[in-house]
Amino acid sequence: MNQTVARSTDDDLRWAMQVVLASPVVCFRWSASNGWPVIFVSENVRQWGYTPEQLRLGQPCFAEMVHPDDLDRIGSEVMNHFTNGDASYEQEYRLLTADKRVAWVVDRTQVTRDEHHLPIYLDGVLTDITERKQQQLRVAEALAEQQRLNQRLEAINNQLLQSEKMAAIGQLAAGIAHE
């Protein structure tokens, strides 16, 4: 019976790992200690040019992977979540891939705390949302261009109305002068 349970657990673990590796998300466990050392990261972190071994060795460390423009905000938000005692949180930020490309991710994290309610582990998933962010940027640019065109049309329309008023006044004056 115990051997059957052990085999079932091993099978379940193997199936779970296959699901993780087939998915676009990267699973992780970081220690909530100085330097945020990686305890575990799934193999599909390779999509960003890193290996699990590199990350477990702190090469690069988490702070070097986060886009410099996002690093202070991310750190501040995490500290706020820790201070508030949040059990989980979600963040969007940019990661730098090993070849220095920018990848947008959504980070969904669960916080494991000790008996004093201090965070000890961060467990979660990173989902690459770069394509969605690029689409949002294209939509925002198209909207801004549409607004610029609308402003130009409004200005031209106002000029046309002004010209028509001036023409009407001119006709009125010519009619009065003729009388």
Side-chain angles (χ1 to χ4, degrees), residues 120-131:
I120 53 175
Y121 295 115
L122 305 174
D123 298 312
V125 294
L126 296 170
T127 305
D128 191 326
I129 59 169
T130 304
E131 186 175 319

Side-chain angles (χ1 to χ4, degrees), residues 75-168:
S76 176
E77 288 176 2
V78 169
M79 287 302 127
N80 285 338
H81 292 300
F82 285 179
T83 303
N84 294 338
D86 297 339
S88 64
Y89 59 88
E90 183 174 307
Q91 296 174 292
E92 284 187 13
Y93 53 91
R94 293 167 289 180
L95 282 180
L96 297 176
T97 64
D99 61 358
K100 302 303 180 207
R101 288 179 297 113
V102 173
W104 275 94
V105 296
V106 62
D107 176 341
R108 292 179 178 92
T109 300
Q110 297 287 320
V111 181
T112 302
R113 297 176 182 274
D114 66 13
E115 64 276 0
H116 304 291
H117 205 61
L118 296 173
I120 53 175
Y121 295 115
L122 305 174
D123 298 312
V125 294
L126 296 170
T127 305
D128 191 326
I129 59 169
T130 304
E131 186 175 319
R132 182 182 85 191
K133 284 293 192 176
Q134 290 170 341
Q135 289 173 347
Q136 287 173 340
L137 181 60
R138 286 192 294 272
V139 168
E141 288 170 349
L143 181 58
E145 179 62 20
Q146 184 68 40
Q147 289 171 337
R148 282 192 296 277
L149 290 172
N150 285 344
Q151 289 171 348
R152 253 183 96 202
L153 279 174
E154 189 174 334
I156 291 169
N157 188 44
N158 288 339
Q159 288 175 347
L160 181 60
L161 286 174
Q162 189 65 25
S163 295
E164 288 175 353
K165 286 179 188 176
M166 294 306 286

Side-chain angles (χ1 to χ4, degrees), residues 5 20 23 35 58 115 166:
V5 171
V20 167
S23 75
E115 64 276 0
M166 294 306 286

